[in-house]
């Protein structure tokens, strides 16, 4: 049986195309999700969450009674 | 355990979207809310922070149906033993009973767990917050999800945090975490509403690992002598925490509080109040639980008129097992040693009727 020299080349090209598509699509997909969802854009931003949680804490009354005493 | 900073509680790690298959599910599919809103208020309208409680069938159950099918019978979710015990002690008058259970809703039933509060977040009762940036953890970490709630007794005992008392040998020598004995099957529920955790089919049993200790041909003589008569803890645990006289109410701002009068470290052997196939022993270790006759007085007088139907010194399995303890030194370490046993003088007069089944009469103390 004789080896076809072009076979390996085709295989390399095919692998490169698949990997390229994977990384390109993966990155685009993530960016799109994050852009579309305010959930993700806020909840992955430390700066944004610090600002928002501080605002909420300033408005919220205490949630726990100071009168609790002893071990629960 | 110190609570997380508010921002940390809700900060999602990028790894969640990149590594965790759950990160492929759109947030709103589980949590509701509006992912296209531009204000915090609008985005959180209709939001469900824990979509796995009380019913996880529409979330986790989409893929993990085998687990969620039994969720209702998980003691961490149902709290069935609490309902059963207080139900037995409660006044039988319908109106009074209703007020007792309403108080329990406020004070007792807020301490529960769920799929999410084990595998994603710390439980709400310890102020919640993601354990690891919303990643789903197959095994909940002991520190954030087990001992965070089971702190006063289990954590202090198991990790050896009670001054002068060593930690449990399984942790100190072997580094075993809760999950080594308390399996996922036990945590997820057994499909049956048990009235006490000790009856649960997959509850931990020492003999699962220490088979020889319960064999009639046990290599250690004292194991052969005491087999089936004395629980493992009677010989192999040391002083543990007892709590007394809990009262609940609401402060001037309407916030619920609890007050327990005292806690102490003690070791008491008593008669087994709950003999069963798994625990047929005559003698077991007993722990005083914080229940008191006036527990719900703030809400309703005479709430627990049947207080005496159950003991306040309850069957206990302290988490401070040692190979060698003061009891294992010699026969005389226990035999004839009255102070180790729960006697009438150890029980306050108003609780003696409740503990008739656990108090050891003087002539019943092994000599």
């Amino acid at each position: 049986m004789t080896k076809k020299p072009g076979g390996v080349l085709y295989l390399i090209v095919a692998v490169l195309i698949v990997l390229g598509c994977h990384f390109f699509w993966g990155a685009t997909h993530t960016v799109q999700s994050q852009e579309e969802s305010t959930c993700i854009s806020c909840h992955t931003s430390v700066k944004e969450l610090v600002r928002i949680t501080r605002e909420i804490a300033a408005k919220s009354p205490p949630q726990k009674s100071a009168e609790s005493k002893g071990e629960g | 355990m110190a609570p997380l900073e508010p921002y940390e509680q809700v900060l999602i790690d990028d790894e969640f979207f990149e590594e965790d298959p759950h990160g492929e599910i759109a947030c709103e599919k589980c949590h509701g809310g509006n992912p296209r809103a531009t204000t915090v208020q609008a985005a959180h309208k209709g939001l469900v922070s824990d979509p796995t409680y009380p019913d996880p069938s529409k979330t986790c159950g989409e893929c993990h149906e085998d687990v969620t099918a039994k969720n209702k019978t998980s003691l961490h979710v149902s709290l069935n033993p609490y309902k059963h015990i207080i139900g037995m002690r409660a006044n039988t008058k319908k109106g009074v009973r209703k007020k007792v259970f309403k108080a329990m809703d406020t004070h007792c039933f807020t301490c529960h767990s769920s799929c999410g509060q084990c595998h994603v977040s710390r439980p709400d009762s310890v102020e919640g917050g993601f354990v690891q940036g919303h990643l789903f953890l197959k095994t909940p970490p002991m520190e954030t999800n087990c001992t965070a709630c089971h702190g006063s007794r289990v954590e202090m005992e198991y990790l050896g945090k009670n001054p002068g008392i060593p930690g449990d040998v399984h942790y100190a020598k072997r580094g075993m975490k809760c999950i080594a004995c308390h399996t996922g099957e036990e945590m997820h529920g057994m499909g049956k509403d048990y009235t006490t955790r000790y009856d649960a089919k997959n509850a931990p049993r020492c003999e699962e690992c220490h088979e020889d200790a319960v064999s009639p041909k046990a290599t250690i003589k004292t194991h052969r002598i005491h087999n089936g008569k004395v629980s493992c803890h009677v010989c192999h645990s040391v002083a543990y925490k007892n709590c007394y006289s809990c009262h609940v109410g609401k402060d001037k701002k309407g916030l619920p509080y609890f007050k327990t009068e005292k806690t102490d470290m003690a070791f008491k052997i008593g008669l087994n109040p709950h003999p069963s196939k798994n625990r047929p022993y005559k003698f077991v270790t007993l722990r005083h639980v914080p229940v008191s006759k006036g527990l719900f007085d703030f809400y309703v007088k005479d709430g627990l008129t049947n207080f005496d139907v159950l003991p306040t010194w309850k069957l206990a399995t302290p988490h401070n097992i040692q190979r060698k303890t003061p009891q294992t030194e010699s026969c005389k370490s226990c035999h004839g040693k009255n102070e180790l046993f729960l006697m009438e003088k150890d029980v306050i007069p108003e609780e003696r009727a409740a503990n008739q089944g656990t108090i050891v009469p003087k002539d019943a103390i092994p000599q």
Side-chain angles (χ1 to χ4, degrees):
Chain A
M1 217 170 100
T2 53
K3 262 189 175 177
K4 288 183 182 175
V8 177
L9 192 63
Y10 286 131
L11 185 66
I12 291 168
V13 171
V15 168
L16 286 174
I17 289 170
V18 168
L19 285 176
C21 284
H22 174 77
F23 285 119
F24 175 76
W25 172 248
T28 314
H29 185 68
T30 307
V31 169
Q32 278 177 355
S33 306
Q34 294 191 0
E35 279 174 358
E36 281 170 13
S37 170
T38 49
C39 315
I40 297 173
S41 57
C42 270
H43 281 268
T44 51
S45 164
V46 174
K47 197 176 165 186
E48 192 72 351
L49 286 177
V50 168
R51 182 185 66 77
I52 293 168
T53 52
R54 277 183 183 164
E55 278 177 18
I56 293 169
K59 289 177 199 164
S60 305
Q63 302 293 308
K64 276 192 169 177
S65 174
E67 285 192 36
S68 282
K69 198 178 81 178
E71 294 188 70
Chain B
M1 188 185 60
L4 293 167
E5 288 294 320
Y7 83 89
E8 287 178 300
Q9 295 183 357
V10 291
L11 177 65
I12 302 175
D13 198 309
D14 285 337
E15 204 184 327
F16 173 61
F17 303 106
E18 291 156 8
E19 307 284 334
D20 191 323
H22 300 92
E24 291 172 16
I25 304 167
C27 309
E28 66 274 21
K29 182 152 192 319
C30 293
H31 292 282
N34 182 355
R36 283 161 294 279
T38 52
T39 65
V40 176
Q41 289 78 10
H44 290 95
K45 198 174 176 189
L47 181 101
V48 181
S49 60
D50 181 358
T52 69
Y53 182 83
D55 178 13
S57 62
K58 298 278 192 308
T59 48
C60 312
E62 293 278 312
C63 297
H64 307 281
E65 196 187 353
D66 54 328
V67 178
T68 59
K70 294 176 182 170
N71 178 69
K72 272 197 294 190
T73 60
S74 162
L75 299 184
H76 279 89
V77 176
S78 74
L79 306 176
N80 203 44
Y82 280 120
K83 289 175 192 166
H84 175 73
I85 286 166
I86 295 297
M88 282 183 75
R89 287 194 156 120
N91 195 321
T92 50
K93 286 181 187 164
K94 206 175 166 186
V96 178
R97 206 173 173 82
K98 200 174 168 186
K99 285 180 183 170
V100 166
F101 274 88
K102 199 173 174 203
M104 285 196 79
D105 278 339
T106 307
H107 294 277
C108 311
F109 297 147
T110 49
C111 275
H112 59 75
S113 200
S114 67
C115 308
Q117 290 181 50
C118 281
H119 294 282
V120 182
S121 300
R122 299 179 182 195
D124 284 349
S125 53
V126 289
E127 300 188 21
F130 299 138
V131 176
Q132 203 179 316
H134 207 302
L135 281 149
F136 282 62
L137 307 175
K138 186 173 168 58
T139 303
M142 181 172 85
E143 298 77 9
T144 50
N145 292 74
C146 304
T147 55
C149 293
H150 300 277
S152 296
R153 286 162 286 273
V154 176
E155 180 190 18
M156 301 290 275
E157 288 164 12
Y158 197 64
L159 304 188
K161 290 184 175 181
N162 288 314
I165 297 174
D168 194 294
V169 68
H170 299 93
Y171 182 74
K173 289 271 169 72
R174 300 281 176 178
M176 289 163 68
K177 301 212 166 178
C178 308
I179 197 80
C181 295
H182 296 280
T183 62
E185 286 77 24
E186 184 196 358
M187 297 297 107
H188 292 153
M190 246 69 71
K192 186 180 169 187
D193 277 329
Y194 291 105
T195 52
T196 156
R197 66 182 184 278
Y198 293 121
D199 287 345
K201 194 180 159 197
N202 289 359
R205 299 186 66 194
C206 307
E207 52 266 44
E208 280 175 12
C209 293
H210 302 280
E211 209 176 331
D212 177 70
V214 293
S215 161
K217 292 178 182 173
T219 46
I220 296 171
K221 190 181 173 187
T222 48
H223 284 164
R224 293 198 299 274
I225 294 170
H226 297 99
N227 192 5
K229 300 171 193 161
V230 169
S231 76
C232 307
H233 293 79
V234 165
C235 296
H236 291 286
S237 70
V238 286
Y240 45 85
K241 194 170 286 171
N242 298 275
C243 301
Y244 301 84
S245 194
C246 183
H247 289 78
V248 293
K250 283 186 178 174
D251 66 14
K252 286 176 186 167
K253 291 172 189 163
L255 297 170
Y257 66 78
F258 71 88
K259 290 177 182 176
T260 47
E261 275 179 17
K262 68 162 187 169
T263 57
D264 64 19
M265 298 298 293
F267 177 87
K268 285 292 172 192
I269 303 166
L271 299 177
N272 186 357
H274 187 70
S276 63
K277 192 183 163 200
N278 287 350
R279 289 185 167 80
Y281 323 111
K282 180 178 181 187
F283 291 108
V284 295
T285 40
L286 300 173
R287 191 196 298 270
H288 194 281
V289 289
V291 69
S292 66
K293 280 185 183 172
L295 175 60
F296 299 113
D297 276 359
F298 180 89
Y299 296 96
V300 58
K301 294 288 175 199
D302 297 326
L304 303 180
T305 45
N306 291 315
F307 186 80
D308 294 343
V309 299
L310 292 169
T312 55
W313 285 89
K314 295 190 64 189
L315 169 63
T317 47
H319 282 57
N320 54 16
I321 296 296
Q322 310 294 319
R323 187 163 172 261
K324 291 181 180 174
T325 65
Q327 302 90 281
T328 61
E329 280 175 16
S330 73
C331 304
K332 288 293 170 196
S333 301
C334 293
H335 287 255
K337 202 159 187 183
N338 295 2
E339 61 266 35
L340 286 185
F341 293 83
L342 185 77
M343 299 178 72
E344 192 159 285
K345 66 177 175 55
D346 299 316
V347 182
I348 56 170
E350 53 268 37
E351 291 184 4
R352 283 181 188 159
N355 289 290
Q356 280 312 301
T358 57
I359 291 172
V360 187
K362 199 173 178 186
D363 58 4
I365 293 175
Q367 296 302 310

